[in-house]
Amino acid sequence: MDASKPAKAVKDVVEAAAGKVADALTPDVPGAPGSAPPTVEEPTTPHDPLPPKKEQGAPETRTPTGAATGAPTTANGQQGAFLTTAQGARLRDTDHSLKAGPRGPVLLQDHHLREKITHFDHERIPERVVHARGAGAHGVFEAYGTAEGVTKAGFLAKGRTTNVFVRFSTVLGSRGSADTVRDTRGFATKFYTDEGTFDLVANNMPVFFIQDAIKFPDIIHAGKPHPDREIPQAQSAHDTFWDFVSLHTEAQHHTIWNMSDRGIPRSYRTMEGFGVHTFRLVNAAGETALAKFHWKPKLGVHSLTWEEAQLLGGVDPDFHRRDLYDAIEAGAFPEWELGLQVFPDTPEETFAGIDLLDPTKIVPEELAPVQPVGKLTLNRTPTNFFAETEQVAFHVGHLPPGIDVTNDPLLQGRLFSYVDTQLTRLGGPNFSQIPINRPHAPVNDMLRDGFHQQAVHAGVAPYRPNSLDGGNPFPAGDTDGAFVDVPVTVTEAPKVRANPVSFDDHYSQVRLFWLSMSPVEKEHIIRAYTFELGKCYHQAIRERQLRCLANIDPVLCAEVATGLGLPAPEPTVPLVDPAPSPALSQVGRQWPADGRTVGIVVDPTAGLDDVDEVRRAVFAAGMVPLLVAPHGGLVGGLPVQRTFATGRSVEFDVLLLAGAPAPAPDASPARDAKAGAAASAAVDPRVLLLVDECWRHAKAIGAWGAGVDVLRQAGVAGTPGVVTGGSGAEVLTAVQQLLAAHRVWERFPASVA
Ligand code: HEM
């Protein structure tokens, strides 16, 4: 975090310390709902709606045709102090239907009753057919100017800033499914450029399951819950998924990415993003280049452990969206650099022998470095989930002048799919006029009428050519910033349903990925395949996938086969030995820890001297401290965020022990077998569980004072990544250094090389 811009949370703490915050219990960590603390008594004095929270943003107020209105963003929200009908008539009562006497029947004439219930009856819209579960945020993109040589896109010109809206998502689960399931993540960005909206509809993995869009319904039908029982939800660990990917082997590359730690990100903030396809760029001189888009997170690429992901599915199914919103509220604004891999636009459309039109292939960064072209900062949470995150509509065909598509057959099919699905999902053809989708460029499109038309088009001639509207709208020329359809030569060829021969290589890059992993990452991949295939009912499917693994690597295949209790088959294709790509590994570097959560266990009866100072130091480091105590309220004058009953280790990136709290009244040491109660009757068993889980998940743990004794009782004292010291400040410094590597990897030496 930029030291010159202290987190909002830091400011709050300082204000609280100065006695400016009247109520010491006012939450000073992110996540509290509402922009003002509520009163115990119901408010009755009429006043205008409260403003949104400070961190909340909303779509700019543009007209349906893109003109800036100058109105505040709250102009799209509810107005006035009084309850009204949708027509603005003030209402006296919304708690009782209009009846023929207190005991009489309800009268049909009750317009308010009918309006209220009718609108409610229609509140839901179809969820997205894929990527239904998501979370969005507003932000800004600032261009470095380094892409000016390859594209004329104005938003990439030096110093240009462009407002954006980003939606992250899972793919398979329904709208209410858990955030932390093993799956690919969507990373879709809407750039509101003044040359028209650009949507970069990306994923957190650089390859896709299929090479041709015609297979998209197949892979999604295979991944979604089984059609008879509608289980399992948001999972690939089932027979139909593995049935498909083991038969349709071009899916193997994307599948190994899903089985790797990339399938269970720690946070949206710690994911890379990839446009997957190769795009064609055109510069001001009309020269073209081929390019792939990359998002690089400032915080590095980090993942959950599998056990954490599973616990979170129950403890906090909203973990990723909460993390995103909380980080923004804490002032730890998530950042990514946009980067380009640029390739010469040759007739073969290949680079270093890699077919650039094959979406199951990457170009290793070591062969074509990712060149940074701008920075994305997410700095506002949405004001209204439905209006913004649910109604946003991305489309790979929304391109500004300077960026064009290629013949990648997956991309070509996507160009059809998005608008088609949105016609149903958003109830008609005018969804580009919904506030979150409104362009920030003048719109003059000759599209008319349709459900929910919000523009009031003037004139009589929505056709071209015309003279009745004075010829307007006029075609734009090169000097007017017209979109460029690059005049690529289409070679004469027979009409076929076939792929280029190069698309037949389904294994060399899967092996490249495997060989690029560190031992601990390899072990996670082995465990993931073993778990997922172990959840399949049918032996034939396991055997078939093992044949695929044999074509990737003998160790991988043998380890998974052992776990499944099956023999490891021999490869059916020659194993190549590509040079590993270190850029694919997540392990081995040091990263900032902005927005990470630090659990601080306190004992209300002792050891509180350092706690306030440590808490401030955590805030000052751009992280969020959560005080964990036997009861809520205040401990040592500081507000408690989690009790032993409400807190769980998976919420914390680091655990600090400032004391050794005795079992609280709501603890059940005798019964609490899961918490290892037998280990100690002196410490609350849930504290021992916290330590145990943090240790199992290779998290840094620190203790001072009586907290050191908890480490001994938990049996982890002196093990890697468990630090003690004379003061809280000393211990915090040590765990911060450990956190920079994300986890204490050496705690679990991997069993594979
Ligand atoms: C033929 C292949 C594909 C088809 C037919 C397809 C289709 C769809 C559809 C129908 C949606 C729901 C859109 C909506 O309701 O607004 C969707 C969402 C999405 N797709 Fe694809 N998709 C394909 C491949 C891909 C690929 C390769 C990527 C990544 C590079 C991708 C990324 C996304 C993302 C991020 C979303 C969520 C957008 C949002 O947040 O609203 N899709 N896709």
Side-chain angles (χ1 to χ4, degrees):
M1 178 176 300
D2 181 350
S4 66
K5 282 188 264 165
K8 163 198 163 283
V10 179
K11 188 167 150 280
D12 286 357
V13 166
V14 172
E15 280 181 2
K20 288 185 191 149
V21 175
D23 180 358
L25 283 174
T26 299
D28 58 358
V29 296
S35 56
T39 52
V40 175
E41 305 305 330
E42 181 182 353
T44 51
T45 310
H47 60 78
D48 281 347
L50 294 178
K53 290 170 73 165
K54 281 200 297 272
E55 309 73 25
Q56 286 179 326
E60 269 185 42
T61 50
R62 296 269 168 169
T63 68
T65 48
T69 69
T73 53
T74 48
N76 281 328
Q78 62 274 37
Q79 307 294 318
F82 295 103
L83 176 73
T84 72
T85 65
Q87 305 306 311
R90 287 184 181 175
L91 290 166
R92 203 174 289 283
D93 181 343
T94 189
D95 300 333
H96 304 91
S97 316
L98 192 64
K99 288 181 284 194
R103 299 171 64 81
V106 172
L107 301 177
L108 183 61
Q109 75 172 66
D110 187 348
H111 174 71
H112 176 47
L113 164 73
R114 284 183 287 112
E115 182 185 67
K116 186 172 176 181
I117 292 202
T118 305
H119 197 280
F120 168 77
D121 290 344
H122 297 269
E123 276 179 7
R124 299 286 170 267
I125 61 171
E127 65 175 34
R128 288 168 177 81
V129 64
V130 284
H131 295 263
R133 168 87 184 165
H138 297 273
V140 67
F141 177 78
E142 189 179 352
Y144 300 154
T146 42
E148 283 177 17
V150 285
T151 173
K152 65 195 283 188
F155 82 100
L156 288 171
K158 187 171 176 56
R160 194 77 68 87
T161 57
T162 303
N163 286 345
V164 301
F165 186 77
V166 174
R167 182 174 179 273
F168 302 104
S169 49
T170 52
V171 177
L172 288 177
S174 289
R175 204 184 134 185
S177 57
D179 279 345
T180 58
V181 295
R182 183 178 290 286
D183 196 358
T184 307
R185 299 300 187 284
F187 186 155
T189 307
K190 192 175 277 298
F191 297 79
Y192 300 95
T193 92
D194 56 9
E195 298 176 308
T197 300
F198 170 45
D199 288 344
L200 181 52
V201 197
N203 279 346
N204 75 328
M205 300 182 186
V207 288
F208 208 66
F209 289 108
I210 50 172
Q211 295 164 323
D212 187 320
I214 201 167
K215 297 301 294 176
F216 193 69
D218 300 82
I219 175 62
I220 298 301
H221 289 170
K224 284 274 187 182
H226 291 199
D228 50 357
R229 300 173 164 212
E230 214 192 26
I231 50 176
Q233 177 60 238
Q235 317 254 335
S236 52
H238 57 104
D239 291 74
T240 56
F241 176 80
W242 289 100
D243 186 31
F244 178 79
V245 299
S246 60
L247 288 169
H248 193 71
T249 51
E250 71 198 36
Q252 290 291 324
H253 194 182
H254 192 160
T255 303
I256 200 170
W257 277 79
N258 272 30
M259 293 307 111
S260 79
D261 290 347
R262 305 271 180 154
I264 41 173
R266 156 64 180 83
S267 159
Y268 292 136
R269 303 179 290 130
T270 60
M271 297 189 325
E272 284 181 306
F274 303 90
V276 174
H277 314 284
T278 302
F279 289 80
R280 183 168 271 107
L281 306 181
V282 55
N283 66 13
E287 296 154 342
T288 62
L290 299 175
K292 285 182 180 286
F293 289 96
H294 294 247
W295 288 114
K296 295 279 184 192
K298 176 183 153 193
L299 304 182
V301 190
H302 305 301
S303 295
L304 298 167
T305 65
W306 175 234
E307 190 173 82
E308 276 180 299
Q310 289 190 299
L311 285 171
L312 280 163
V315 172
D316 188 5
D318 309 301
F319 184 68
H320 283 154
R321 59 171 65 166
R322 189 189 310 284
D323 171 272
L324 176 67
Y325 303 149
D326 283 0
I328 293 173
E329 281 196 30
F333 297 148
E335 283 179 17
W336 287 260
E337 275 194 318
L338 181 66
L340 289 177
Q341 281 184 304
V342 180
F343 319 104
D345 189 359
T346 61
E348 300 76 33
E349 297 166 315
T350 59
F351 182 80
I354 299 163
D355 194 331
L356 297 173
L357 299 194
D358 180 350
T360 67
K361 303 288 189 315
I362 61 162
V363 177
E365 293 182 28
E366 291 74 15
L367 298 180
V370 177
Q371 301 166 37
V373 299
K375 188 175 82 172
L376 165 71
T377 308
L378 297 181
N379 53 17
R380 289 286 174 270
T381 60
T383 300
N384 184 282
F385 186 92
F386 181 85
E388 301 167 69
T389 307
E390 197 60 12
Q391 293 200 113
V392 69
F394 297 94
H395 191 318
V396 271
H398 293 165
L399 299 166
I403 305 177
D404 200 2
V405 297
T406 58
N407 291 343
D408 173 338
L410 187 68
L411 175 56
Q412 296 273 321
R414 290 181 78 195
L415 289 167
F416 165 76
S417 180
Y418 288 76
V419 84
D420 180 51
T421 194
Q422 286 151 3
L423 282 169
T424 303
R425 183 167 74 80
L426 297 166
N430 289 316
F431 53 82
S432 67
Q433 300 178 356
I434 295 171
I436 193 68
N437 295 325
R438 288 182 183 175
H440 294 190
V443 176
N444 195 346
D445 57 12
M446 295 200 298
L447 310 175
R448 290 293 181 272
D449 308 344
F451 282 115
H452 318 303
Q453 177 60 252
Q454 293 169 62
V456 184
H457 295 109
V460 294
Y463 55 83
R464 270 199 51 79
N466 78 69
S467 62
L468 285 174
D469 280 351
N472 180 285
F474 299 95
D478 281 346
T479 54
D480 309 305
F483 182 79
V484 186
D485 290 299
V486 179
V488 178
T489 303
V490 180
T491 42
E492 202 174 305
K495 210 161 67 173
V496 287
R497 290 188 184 273
N499 280 336
V501 175
S502 67
F503 280 35
D504 290 345
D505 167 18
H506 297 172
Y507 287 108
S508 63
Q509 286 211 342
V510 199
R511 183 158 170 72
L512 164 70
F513 183 83
W514 169 258
L515 294 175
S516 305
M517 294 294 104
S518 63
V520 69
E521 291 170 299
K522 282 183 176 166
E523 186 162 308
H524 292 172
I525 292 171
I526 291 165
R527 301 283 165 259
Y529 275 112
T530 314
F531 173 85
E532 297 247 332
L533 292 167
K535 297 285 276 187
C536 292
Y537 286 83
H538 288 291
Q539 178 90 345
I541 289 170
R542 293 194 198 117
E543 284 180 17
R544 200 194 299 139
Q545 178 59 29
L546 283 177
R547 285 190 209 162
C548 298
L549 297 185
N551 291 339
I552 300 169
D553 188 80
V555 173
L556 169 65
C557 184
E559 293 280 336
V560 177
T562 304
L564 296 175
L566 292 171
E570 290 300 313
T572 54
V573 298
L575 293 186
V576 287
D577 270 317
S581 167
L584 296 176
S585 170
Q586 300 179 208
V587 176
R589 277 170 285 172
Q590 303 272 302
W591 303 98
D594 303 13
R596 295 297 190 105
T597 52
V598 180
I600 309 175
V601 174
V602 293
D603 176 356
T605 65
L608 295 170
D609 293 351
D610 281 8
V611 175
D612 190 22
E613 186 195 338
V614 168
R615 207 166 158 274
R616 286 158 180 272
V618 172
F619 274 129
M623 300 188 289
V624 175
L626 297 176
L627 232 59
V628 193
H631 58 71
L634 295 176
V635 166
L638 297 169
V640 171
Q641 280 81 36
R642 299 289 186 276
T643 65
F644 298 158
T646 61
R648 193 74 194 255
S649 69
V650 283
E651 292 183 89
F652 313 128
D653 293 290
V654 162
L655 187 67
L656 298 180
L657 299 151
D666 62 343
S668 309
R671 282 184 291 137
D672 212 345
K674 76 176 188 310
S680 163
V683 176
D684 192 297
R686 293 161 298 180
V687 173
L688 294 176
L689 178 64
L690 278 179
V691 175
D692 180 54
E693 286 181 351
C694 285
W695 195 85
R696 288 170 61 79
H697 304 149
K699 289 173 179 171
I701 303 172
W704 64 96
V708 177
D709 196 42
V710 179
L711 301 178
R712 273 195 292 273
Q713 299 198 35
V716 302
T719 58
V722 177
V723 293
T724 56
S727 70
E730 190 188 324
V731 171
L732 178 63
T733 307
V735 294
Q736 270 180 277
Q737 281 161 6
L738 293 166
L739 188 55
H742 182 52
R743 286 186 200 276
V744 183
W745 297 111
E746 62 270 35
R747 199 175 284 162
F748 301 110
S751 60
V752 286

